[in-house]
Amino acid sequence: MQSIFDQDLPKTSANHTPLTPISFLERSAEVYPRHLAVVHGEIRRTWAQTFERCKRLASALRLRGLRNDDTVAVMLPNTPAMVEAHFFVPMAGGVLNTLNTRLDASTIAFMLDHGEAKVVIVDPEFAGLMDDAIRLRKSSQPLLVIDAEDSLFSGPAQRIGDLSYEDLVSEGDPAFAWRPPEDEWNAIALNYTSGTTGNPKGVVYHHRGAAANAISNILEWDMPKHPVYLWTLPMFHCNGWCFPWTLAARAGVNICMRRVDAKAIIELIAQHGVTHYCGAPVVHNLLVNAPEALKQGLPRGVKAMVAGAAPPASMIEGMERLGFDLTHVYGLTEVYGPAVACAKQDAWEIFDIGERASLNGRQGVRYHLQQGAVVMNPQTMEPVPLDGQTIGEIMLRGNITMKGYLKNPAATQEAFAGGWFHTGDLAVQYSDGYIRIKDRSKDVIISGGENISSIEVEDVLYRHPDVLAAAVVAKPDRKWGETPCAFVEIKPGARSTPSDIVEHCRKHLAAFKVPRTVVFGELPKTSTGKIQKFELRARAGSVEAITASEPDDLHQLGGLSERSSP
């Protein structure tokens, strides 16, 4: 029986349009046409100019044969072209595939083939790499290659394309009448997972999710009009956590940045009055550990967002001492970047800095426009007790969740089993509903039948004053099965030894959780700053333990850890 609220109340273009973040660009160009939108070297572009350029580029792509749902792959650093690509590609009906600039040619070739790219836009820094990738493709699909020149690139110019980016701009119509997608469920972006085992999976985003996450970013940060945002976070990573669309919604300023280092970050913050930036813990650690003389130029009150790995309490404390307002978020490629945030409570202000850092180190609660974030037993699909002790798996669902994995229905079905997205992250949930990650399911160390959280051990390591970066993985052990192996980067000039690090851990951890192996050296990291634990796990089996004098009954001395429910 039809509801009385549906009778003679039709859905029409007058009362319903699909959600899309592209409309944010159009509105800012209408309402704030002369407000600054993009800064890069000598480039200064307004929102009206940016909108016009995007219309030209979308028009030019359509004239060159791009059709709805065709993939446009881009290999670009954080330049104006990368900002524009987040708009003109979907305006043309295409699907944006932002490629990780640190991948090898064979992996890029796989992505071009798997995503069936029709167009590639490439920065000159990566032209040689892209040329190799194109030659390695298995597909015979014609590919339009566009060279995106950049005046701030100081290396040798190499052209591999059919035309230049600015030539494409010139070809287009500034009056191009773009249309929103017919359905907000239509794909807007394709992002590939890291693919540490086997081929990477293609994660498909829809217009509704992109708009929802962009708005949630605003709400979580209480972001005012015209924020000045520094692009330290690679836009190829989860579409910059949807912040290209967030900045358009707030008519903010995109401060572009080709390469991240502490000096450049500090100079740009001071020069442009930066109000917001995002990054993995390693980016924030650059500032915390920068020379004091360099940090003198940092203003207080800058809002920073951190995700990508569980941030150690020492980093959170360091950011607070800098006077930065740090927001901790959590997410994955499959949920558009951040989908959970550690929303701060006024009641926390009464605690000392260490306790506040511990509270802010939790992953937190669901984003505004995400329906659910809970910790469940993955076997029973029942929520775990809110006791801060019982371990389960973080499950997410709602609009800020991918459509699925491209051409991989089995993986999609597995990821969405039981009506929730399975993150693979093991966590506990507290009585206030806040979630804290204990480990990735693959990173838990099972030693003598006990589960050891690598994150817990890493947090202790970061509290040592000489430790710059740390990661803990399982080392095979004939007696215990596995023991913790710590890989540590020491600060320049520090004189601590591996034995000193072990002694530090003994003061703060149960005996069975103390690393029995400590290895000094630079840690392998991804382009987004994540430590590559899969590489460290491969190394761990061949390194020698340094704590041979430890008693054989470590586990009996240490007591019991929490048990994982999976």
Side-chain angles (χ1 to χ4, degrees), residues 239-513:
N239 298 105
W241 301 353
C242 296
F243 272 95
W245 300 311
T246 294
L247 269 289
R250 292 276 75 190
V253 186
N254 293 273
I255 308 296
C256 295
M257 193 176 190
R258 282 193 70 95
R259 184 167 283 103
V260 171
D261 64 70
K263 186 173 183 292
I265 292 172
I266 291 169
E267 288 177 349
L268 288 171
I269 288 175
Q271 179 184 354
H272 297 290
V274 168
T275 59
H276 298 75
Y277 76 96
C278 298
V282 65
V283 175
H284 305 289
N285 266 330
L286 285 175
L287 300 182
V288 171
N289 295 299
E292 290 301 321
L294 193 61
K295 290 189 285 191
Q296 295 305 311
L298 281 171
R300 299 181 71 84
V302 176
K303 291 184 178 293
M305 190 173 280
V306 61
S314 60
M315 186 273 287
I316 295 175
E317 291 177 18
M319 292 296 288
E320 184 168 331
R321 291 192 177 97
L322 282 178
F324 281 25
D325 182 4
L326 185 69
T327 298
H328 178 199
V329 296
Y330 160 79
L332 305 91
T333 303
E334 288 87 343
V335 290
Y336 299 74
V340 171
C342 190
K344 295 177 183 177
Q345 303 288 339
D346 293 340
W348 298 352
E349 293 302 316
I350 65 172
F351 300 117
D352 62 29
I353 189 171
E355 180 63 20
R356 288 200 306 275
S358 177
L359 290 167
N360 286 325
R362 298 183 296 177
Q363 279 55 50
V365 294
R366 62 188 172 97
Y367 242 27
H368 287 77
L369 299 182
Q370 184 71 311
Q371 186 187 25
V374 297
V375 178
M376 289 186 179
N377 181 316
Q379 272 76 51
T380 66
M381 293 302 290
E382 292 292 329
V384 301
L386 303 183
D387 56 11
Q389 297 292 325
T390 307
I391 294 180
E393 182 179 356
I394 299 176
M395 307 277 188
L396 303 170
R397 71 176 174 190
N399 293 311
I400 309 174
T401 307
M402 65 173 178
K403 293 183 72 166
Y405 296 115
L406 183 67
K407 302 176 183 176
N408 198 337
T412 300
Q413 184 177 3
E414 181 182 0
F416 290 154
W420 290 82
F421 170 63
H422 295 238
T423 66
D425 285 322
L426 303 181
V428 298
Q429 198 159 11
Y430 293 85
S431 58
D432 59 3
Y434 281 61
I435 292 168
R436 184 190 293 276
I437 286 181
K438 289 297 183 179
D439 232 325
R440 288 288 294 174
S441 57
K442 63 186 177 184
D443 291 336
V444 170
I445 301 163
I446 304 174
S447 187
E450 303 296 342
N451 296 318
I452 301 172
S453 165
S454 65
I455 291 175
E456 179 185 1
V457 182
E458 288 162 4
D459 195 59
V460 168
L461 289 168
Y462 273 106
R463 287 185 172 276
H464 191 286
D466 289 348
V467 171
L468 180 63
V472 176
V473 299
K475 182 181 187 303
D477 185 273
R478 281 183 293 180
K479 180 172 184 177
W480 302 114
E482 296 175 340
T483 57
C485 176
F487 290 85
V488 177
E489 277 187 36
I490 294 295
K491 294 178 182 177
R495 296 187 177 182
S496 290
T497 66
S499 294
D500 294 333
I501 299 300
V502 171
E503 289 303 315
H504 166 76
C505 290
R506 283 194 179 120
K507 296 175 183 177
H508 302 282
L509 291 168
F512 74 93
K513 298 181 181 180

